[in-house]
Amino acid sequence: MDINILLVDDEADFVETMVKRFGIRKMPIDSAKSGQEALTSLAAKDYDVIILDVRMPGMDGLETLKLIRARAPLTEVIMLTGHASLEAGMQGMNMGAYDYVLKPADFDDLLDKVRKAFERKQLNAKARKQGA
Amino acid sequence: MPRPANRAPEPASDPHGDPKGILARATGARLWKDHSLLLWAHFLVPPVLAALVVAATFATPILAGILAAIVLGIAAVSARGLLSRLSQTEEARLALNTQLIQSQKLAAIGELSAGIAHEINNPIAIIAQEAEWAAHLIGEAEKGCSADFAEVKDSLREVRAQVDRCKNITHKLLDFARKREPVLQDVDVVRIIEDMARLVDKEASYKNVTLVRSLPQDLPKLRTDAPLLRQVVLNLMTNALHAVDTGGRIEVSALADDEALEICIKDNGCGIAPENIDKIFNPFFTTKPPGQGTGLGLSMCHTLVDGMKGKISVASKPGQGAAFTVRLPRRV
């Protein structure tokens, strides 16, 4: 099954490489350069997994995470960070992020986490359907 | 009083099964109901034997003497067994009661604080708005006259900062009072611990703290809620990091038995004073100076572990560090 993935990061080079690498695995992904752009994309499409950079100019990752969780509670978010900030990590996890990946991210590791996040989203959606 | 809609009332009893079952499991003994045959025997055999003694007295006194000794022996052994079992049950009942009171108390405090947080959120939002409006008005007034409003503006900024601090606390409270149904996945616990440890590593190295992992590579997978477990592990490791001094040591270990998987996070920091052990999981309980900790971290861990149907416990001797153990059932 196809996974709808959105990558949010302000580093153009990183985004380009990631889009290519996912593409090679036959997993097309969308990208956004900022938190604001991510929210616009989220309004237009139902994403399964969002990979979100913590440190971005303008609206930062945690602020974006909060808004994503409020608008699309079923969408799972994997936080991505270049610097291991414990405080940001704690806040991210406590705000409902699915997982945390340190840059430079091992691609297979990231892929595995995306799959796990997607599995959770599906389980969650199924549980909601049964509960409703 | 309006309440957050997504908060279900806490059940009065332990959520993990009926108290009788727990009691039986705690003592390792079966319930009296299962022992009814034994009990009947226990009460009936001595009188029957006694009757035999009486009957034997009429035949030979020696036989009667032997029989009487046997009867006394059996009665004594059986009475001792009954006594020890009774005291065992009583002890377990007391332990269970304490545990129940503790978890009810936590639930009550949690509910109360979430209620307060909810009520206080609105006035806080209004204070923030008014402060912003006042700052705007002063900005306008400043244009028309030469007076210096710097001090007023400064004080308004401080109002804003403190309001943000309050908001932070109320949001945290509301967030962890929210009951999330756990979503179960096969989880590689070692990897989760390793991932979270990497996040702590850098901060630990600033403090010259060693974070030791003793993780068996053959640990079985666990069906549990992955993000909840990550949160618990990360919170406990951060807690340990705050507890140790420069040059300290934190050890994270995990092991599994047939029923459960245990994660232990041990530090060699200041430890917990005996009078604080009971309060350590209470919301708002903190030994940090005011403003440096909300006292919600461990209480949140307790709530999360509860949600995973597990148990969290702490062992500590003052001055010798503390060890937090999270025990999660392998079959939920």
Side-chain angles (χ1 to χ4, degrees):
Chain A
M1 188 184 267
D2 288 343
I3 310 177
N4 289 320
I5 306 168
L6 175 68
L7 171 66
V8 191
D9 199 321
D10 59 308
E11 270 180 70
D13 290 343
F14 177 76
V15 171
E16 202 179 313
T17 320
M18 285 310 250
V19 169
K20 268 189 207 154
R21 295 195 75 173
F22 272 102
I24 292 169
R25 308 275 178 129
K26 304 251 175 312
M27 293 170 81
I29 66 166
D30 295 339
S31 64
K33 285 191 289 298
S34 67
Q36 199 55 55
E37 203 179 299
L39 293 172
T40 316
S41 306
L42 187 66
K45 189 168 163 184
D46 177 23
Y47 284 102
D48 298 314
V49 180
I50 296 180
I51 305 168
L52 180 65
D53 189 26
V54 173
R55 197 186 260 179
M56 290 185 295
M59 192 195 291
D60 73 0
L62 290 175
E63 192 59 40
T64 314
L65 170 67
K66 203 191 272 176
L67 293 170
I68 291 173
R69 296 297 293 165
R71 291 180 194 183
L74 279 178
T75 300
E76 294 294 344
V77 179
I78 295 174
M79 304 297 282
L80 196 63
T81 179
H83 57 110
S85 161
L86 185 56
E87 187 50 37
M90 287 256 286
Q91 281 187 24
M93 290 311 302
N94 290 347
M95 273 155 67
Y98 178 74
D99 206 342
Y100 220 87
V101 179
L102 289 176
K103 275 189 198 171
D106 176 63
F107 186 73
D108 289 321
D109 189 41
L110 179 62
L111 199 62
D112 201 41
K113 287 183 168 162
V114 167
R115 290 209 175 102
K116 277 282 186 191
F118 177 57
E119 183 191 64
R120 181 184 166 90
K121 194 222 168 186
Q122 282 184 311
L123 287 169
N124 229 335
K126 209 164 105 189
R128 290 227 174 165
K129 214 180 261 174
Q130 277 167 359
Chain B
M1 179 178 91
R3 286 149 168 256
N6 36 18
R7 199 153 39 81
E10 277 291 315
S13 65
D14 194 292
H16 307 318
D18 68 316
K20 274 187 188 170
I22 299 169
L23 191 65
R25 256 175 282 137
T27 52
R30 279 173 289 164
L31 290 174
W32 291 118
K33 208 164 58 187
D34 306 331
H35 280 289
S36 58
L37 244 163
L38 207 81
L39 267 183
W40 279 112
H42 169 85
F43 285 115
L44 291 182
V45 168
V48 166
L49 286 174
L52 271 177
V53 175
V54 173
T57 322
F58 294 106
T60 60
I62 298 164
L63 183 66
I66 295 170
L67 266 176
I70 294 175
V71 170
L72 270 176
I74 291 178
V77 167
S78 143
R80 236 189 93 179
L82 198 69
L83 259 178
S84 83
R85 185 150 274 162
L86 263 178
S87 65
Q88 228 181 54
T89 321
E90 186 62 18
E91 259 168 41
R93 198 183 61 83
L94 278 177
L96 203 72
N97 251 344
T98 334
Q99 211 180 323
L100 200 68
I101 289 171
Q102 172 74 359
S103 82
Q104 277 179 347
K105 193 180 75 188
L106 278 184
I109 300 174
E111 193 154 333
L112 179 72
S113 38
I116 294 173
H118 186 76
E119 290 299 312
I120 267 175
N121 245 352
N122 290 333
I124 285 177
I126 296 171
I127 294 172
Q129 259 175 21
E130 293 295 324
E132 218 151 77
W133 181 234
H136 170 78
L137 290 180
I138 283 175
E140 292 292 307
E142 217 175 14
K143 284 178 198 161
C145 71
S146 56
D148 185 14
F149 288 111
E151 216 162 303
V152 182
K153 271 160 58 185
D154 219 39
S155 121
L156 280 173
R157 232 191 322 272
E158 190 57 27
V159 169
R160 245 347 273 263
Q162 295 304 322
V163 164
D164 280 345
R165 195 171 138 196
C166 293
K167 229 161 56 185
N168 211 349
I169 297 172
T170 54
H171 283 182
K172 265 191 195 160
L173 266 179
L174 286 172
D175 202 50
F176 91 84
R178 191 173 302 143
K179 281 251 175 325
R180 293 192 204 108
E181 262 316 295
V183 178
L184 304 180
Q185 285 180 286
D186 282 331
V187 170
D188 184 347
V189 177
V190 168
R191 204 169 139 194
I192 282 193
I193 295 176
E194 189 52 52
D195 278 353
M196 294 301 112
R198 279 184 60 199
L199 209 54
V200 183
D201 266 337
K202 201 165 184 186
E203 199 106 350
S205 70
Y206 292 149
K207 259 182 106 173
N208 200 15
V209 169
T210 0
L211 181 57
V212 186
R213 288 90 144 160
S214 326
L215 305 168
Q217 286 312 309
D218 57 348
L219 205 70
K221 292 222 166 159
L222 183 69
R223 268 195 89 68
T224 191
D225 188 293
L228 288 190
L229 184 58
R230 282 191 192 99
Q231 244 177 297
V232 171
V233 170
L234 191 59
N235 272 294
L236 288 180
M237 283 200 279
T238 312
N239 187 63
L241 187 59
H242 289 157
V244 294
D245 292 322
T246 311
R249 185 187 140 99
I250 302 169
E251 190 184 336
V252 192
S253 58
L255 57 94
D257 55 37
D258 286 343
E259 279 157 18
L261 200 146
E262 252 178 37
I263 300 168
C264 182
I265 292 163
K266 208 166 120 184
D267 66 68
N268 67 350
C270 47
I272 306 158
E275 67 269 25
N276 289 341
I277 281 259
D278 286 344
K279 296 180 226 152
I280 201 88
F281 293 114
N282 286 1
F284 297 117
F285 180 77
T286 178
T287 50
K288 288 178 195 156
Q292 285 196 21
T294 49
L296 291 175
L298 285 176
S299 137
M300 189 173 70
C301 281
H302 192 279
T303 311
L304 296 176
V305 173
D306 236 27
M308 292 189 277
K309 306 250 188 295
K311 290 249 176 315
I312 183 168
S313 57
V314 59
S316 171
K317 278 191 189 137
Q320 289 179 33
F324 285 87
T325 306
V326 176
R327 195 173 159 82
L328 299 167
R330 287 181 62 184
R331 279 166 286 272
V332 186

